[in-house]
Amino acid sequence: MKNFTKKTFFLALCVCLTSCAPTITNHGYNNEKVIPTMFKVGQTTQDQVQQELGSPSTISSFKEPVWYYVSKKTSTKSFYKPDVIDQQTLALTFSETGVLKDMKIITKDQSKPVKIIEDRTEPKGYETGVLREVFGNFGRRWSAKPASSK
């Protein structure tokens, strides 16, 4: 019985120690796949970029389209908030004809945090009340047909 208790304690200790190990996750495109010389400014087209990297993470809505490929590596320990280990954004600016005009790599240190505004706009439109909920269905016909039993 004493040997069983030691084994149980050892097993519980192993489970506790492994649960403290961080979980590393990668999101976005594979930034290790991109070589800065693989795209030529003035020669590479949007189709060629999409063949190599796939669809962009987001596209700007300005006059000249900018495609953003975001790659992020995070570390999470048990139930805590994830910590960003590394983040890299590849910004590709295209001309109106779809040819690569500019290419920038933005690292975690160069990026600016986005300030989240907590204000909310109340939606306008159909508002319902208790009386409308209670009496709203009176006088309506049932549209469903009863199931026939055979």
Side-chain angles (χ1 to χ4, degrees):
M1 186 71 170
K2 195 174 190 181
N3 194 17
F4 178 74
T5 308
K6 286 182 181 180
K7 287 181 182 178
T8 306
F9 174 74
F10 181 72
L11 181 63
L13 182 66
C14 288
V15 168
C16 289
L17 290 177
T18 57
S19 66
C20 294
T23 303
I24 307 293
T25 55
N26 293 311
H27 299 280
Y29 84 103
N30 184 1
N31 61 356
E32 295 170 356
K33 179 181 171 183
V34 177
I35 303 167
T37 59
M38 73 189 300
F39 301 125
K40 306 273 188 221
V41 175
Q43 296 177 359
T44 307
T45 64
Q46 290 177 338
D47 291 334
Q48 292 169 335
V49 171
Q50 200 163 15
Q51 279 182 334
E52 288 294 323
L53 300 178
S55 298
S57 302
T58 187
I59 299 174
S60 71
S61 58
F62 299 112
K63 186 176 181 181
E64 291 180 338
V66 181
W67 287 10
Y68 295 100
Y69 289 89
V70 181
S71 172
K72 182 165 50 170
K73 184 185 280 189
T74 59
S75 171
T76 308
K77 290 184 181 177
S78 64
F79 55 84
Y80 294 108
K81 189 173 114 177
D83 294 324
V84 177
I85 298 171
D86 185 32
Q87 181 171 334
Q88 186 176 13
T89 304
L90 176 65
L92 302 173
T93 306
F94 293 96
S95 65
E96 292 178 3
T97 58
V99 178
L100 185 63
K101 188 176 180 181
D102 188 27
M103 182 172 89
K104 292 180 185 174
I105 297 176
I106 304 164
T107 61
K108 177 184 167 187
D109 301 329
Q110 296 170 333
S111 64
K112 297 176 184 173
V114 177
K115 183 178 178 183
I116 297 174
I117 299 172
E118 297 294 331
D119 295 341
R120 295 181 186 258
T121 304
E122 292 298 322
K124 299 291 182 190
Y126 182 75
E127 295 178 13
T128 184
V130 175
L131 292 176
R132 184 173 290 192
E133 290 289 331
V134 172
F135 297 110
N137 287 326
F138 284 123
R140 291 189 182 177
R141 292 184 173 202
W142 292 98
S143 61
K145 296 180 182 178
S148 60
S149 58
K150 289 188 178 182

